[in-house]
Amino acid sequence: METTTRATPVLEPFVEQRTVLLTSFRRDGTPVGTPVTIAVEGDRAFIRSFDAAWKVKRMARNPEVRGRAPGRSEASRRVRRSARRLDCWTARRPSTPPS
């Protein structure tokens, strides 16, 4: 049986979203917005991308990212977080045994 954790208030506007605008930053600080698919669980938001994607390279250099959900009030639809890369093994839940 799989249990889910309720989203924290800051991520609540993103729960019902399929796509959000993720902003990562170039070396010179220029923001770059990219639409990504999102999944939220508890205090974490997950996106998936290819290793060679520029957004992944930008997040490796600077983990600060911003997300924006369409709709809702301006204050409740933006969030600033820190990103980190997960591979398929570190993304597993602790309760899920390796196969």
Side-chain angles (χ1 to χ4, degrees):
M1 183 167 111
E2 195 168 308
T3 59
T4 58
T5 308
R6 185 178 172 95
T8 58
V10 71
L11 292 176
E12 190 66 37
F14 297 90
V15 171
E16 298 296 322
Q17 299 297 321
R18 289 185 56 143
T19 305
V20 297
L21 183 67
L22 177 79
T23 302
S24 56
F25 299 90
R26 291 186 178 141
R27 288 180 195 220
D28 66 0
T30 304
V32 180
T34 309
V36 294
T37 303
I38 188 169
V40 175
E41 185 174 311
D43 63 347
R44 296 178 183 200
F46 298 91
I47 64 163
R48 186 169 62 176
S49 185
F50 294 103
D51 290 341
W54 283 106
K55 64 182 158 276
V56 174
K57 294 175 184 180
R58 287 190 298 269
M59 288 186 288
R61 281 192 306 269
N62 180 359
E64 180 187 343
V65 294
R66 296 179 188 159
R68 189 173 126 219
R72 314 247 178 161
S73 72
E74 187 66 25
S76 69
R77 66 183 183 148
R78 291 181 182 231
V79 66
R80 179 184 248 171
R81 301 296 262 190
S82 179
R84 78 180 164 116
R85 185 179 177 275
L86 302 176
D87 60 26
C88 64
W89 300 109
T90 56
R92 287 178 178 253
R93 295 184 188 164
S95 62
T96 305
S99 38

